[in-house]
Every structure is written in structure tokens, then in C-alpha cells.
Amino acid sequence: IVAVSKYEKSLLCGQFKLDPKKIVVIPCGVNLSQFKGLKKRKLDFRSILCVTRLVSYKSPHYLIEVLPKLDDDFVLELVGKGELRHALEKRARKLDVLDRVRFFQDLSKRELLQKFIDADVFVLLSKYEAYSMVIAEALVSGTPCIVAKTSALTEWIDGKHCFGIEYPIDIDGLARLINKVIECKGRVNTELRTEKIKDWDAVVEQLERVYEQ
């Protein structure tokens, strides 16, 4: 049995009473070749990027709430579809930050990866994730991340490239963390690509070894 994270393995053991020895953890891979030729562009604003479905358990509303507590040159870029789109726009309008929120959907893969590279910080405050491809892609892009200390997201937190915040989210604490990460950040070390995030070819090799046993 293959799980994509320690968290998913724990769920499988708990829910189905499986023998942990029968479960191997092999994270998802990233197609590193898709990043070739992409370079960070200079923006006239500081970008907070979130790529997610706009549904309640993904908690995108916290990113609307935090904008009034950040400098005016911070812009929230939300990439994704979902039932909360109208409510998020309404809340942003009420907080007078709608002009600092930009919604995107149906981007090509290359357009999406360029968003990852251009962002100053990537934030995902979801309650539940089994792995999170978007965190992997953000880190490969060289962009530091902030995640909720929930589910498999905790496995990304290292205090250097990915930072955690307790759930439920304290808005003032989130604002401080965003400022801290952006003020002192360097680009994420590309050694992460081989250290923690594997290319799909390497993942396939791991899977083959499992099935050869």
C-alpha cells in the first residue's frame, strides 16, 4: 500500500486497521523540466499567492482578512475556482481591499508556474491535505511558503523555507509571519529538489522497486 505522506499513512492505519509495515510512504513527484526557462519577473507589488479550490476547508478567507493589516503594496493572487468566490469578493469589498485581490482560473501550466516563481510568498491555510502538490511546486519555484499546522502540511514545515501557523488562524499572527518571511527571505535553496522533492522519474523508480519486491 502506497501513501503519499506520513499523515496519509496514519489515516490508513487508523481508519482501516492496517499493518503499518505494509504501507510505504512515497510522496508525489514534480515535473522539474516544466520549470526550465522560467525566471522571476520584477512586479510593482508584493505578491501573496494561493493556489487552491475556493471552498471552506481550504480557508482562503483568512487571506482576505489579513490584507487590511498589511502594507498597501501587498496583493493577494488567488488561483482557483469554487463556491466561495462570490463571498470572498463581497468580504474584500467590505474590508475595502477588493482592488488588492486578483482572481485567476484556468491558467495554463506554464502560466501557473510563472505565478509560483513571481510570488513573494505562497500561503496555504487548508485544514486537510494528504500531501499538497502546490507546496511542492512553490518550493521548487524558489518561493517560501506559509502553511497551517494541520494534516500533512506540517511535514513541509522546516522554519527555513516553509513556515507554520497554528489553526484556527490568528489574523494578527498571520500578518506578522507574512512580513517576517518576506523581509528576511532568500530564495529557496534549489537543493530541496533532490533533498525533499523528487522528479516524477525518481518517484516511478521508487514505485518500481516496491512492486519488484
Side-chain angles (χ1 to χ4, degrees):
I1 301 170
V2 177
V4 295
S5 64
K6 294 177 183 176
Y7 172 73
E8 187 174 60
K9 178 178 179 177
S10 69
L11 287 181
L12 291 170
C13 292
Q15 294 293 322
F16 300 104
K17 312 303 179 187
L18 299 175
D19 181 356
K21 295 179 181 179
K22 293 184 177 180
I23 303 175
V24 60
V25 176
I26 301 178
C28 297
V30 173
N31 189 343
L32 299 181
S33 65
Q34 291 183 318
F35 292 83
K36 290 181 179 178
L38 295 174
K39 296 181 179 180
K40 182 175 174 62
R41 302 174 299 189
K42 187 174 182 179
L43 306 176
D44 59 0
F45 59 91
R46 286 184 283 182
S47 168
I48 302 170
L49 178 65
C50 181
V51 180
T52 187
R53 285 189 295 124
L54 304 181
V55 294
S56 59
Y57 83 89
K58 296 282 189 176
S59 305
H61 62 284
Y62 287 118
L63 296 175
I64 301 291
E65 299 291 337
V66 79
L67 277 181
K69 297 182 178 293
L70 298 170
D71 291 342
D72 292 342
D73 65 331
F74 279 95
V75 171
L76 172 60
E77 298 190 284
L78 276 173
V79 181
K81 303 177 183 179
E83 61 195 33
L84 289 185
R85 168 71 181 265
H86 177 69
L88 293 171
E89 290 177 332
K90 184 177 179 180
R91 184 58 178 161
R93 188 178 294 109
K94 185 174 182 179
L95 293 174
D96 197 27
V97 293
L98 186 58
D99 61 331
R100 294 166 58 196
V101 181
R102 301 175 186 177
F103 292 90
F104 301 89
Q105 61 184 51
D106 299 325
L107 298 180
S108 69
K109 187 64 178 183
R110 197 162 182 83
E111 289 173 326
L112 178 60
L113 294 183
Q114 188 66 60
K115 286 287 183 193
F116 279 116
I117 290 172
D118 291 342
D120 290 283
V121 62
F122 184 89
V123 185
L124 183 65
L125 303 174
S126 177
K127 292 180 181 178
Y128 312 108
E129 294 292 330
Y131 174 70
S132 186
M133 282 296 302
V134 292
I135 295 298
E137 290 180 328
L139 292 173
V140 169
S141 299
T143 299
C145 299
I146 295 173
V147 298
K149 291 182 178 179
T150 61
S151 58
L153 293 179
T154 60
E155 296 174 39
W156 289 107
I157 298 169
D158 60 8
K160 296 179 181 179
H161 309 109
C162 187
F163 304 81
I165 186 167
E166 296 289 347
Y167 201 95
I169 307 301
D170 172 71
I171 298 300
D172 290 322
L174 177 60
R176 288 193 297 271
L177 185 55
I178 289 173
N179 279 315
K180 177 183 175 183
V181 170
I182 288 182
E183 286 171 5
C184 66
K185 81 175 181 70
R187 302 301 288 173
V188 171
N189 192 324
T190 53
E191 289 180 1
L192 275 173
R193 299 185 180 191
T194 55
E195 181 183 309
K196 191 169 185 177
I197 302 168
K198 304 294 185 182
D199 186 271
W200 270 116
D201 289 341
V203 173
V204 169
E205 289 178 6
Q206 283 185 279
L207 288 168
E208 287 177 339
R209 286 196 294 271
V210 168
Y211 283 98
E212 285 171 354
Q213 293 176 1

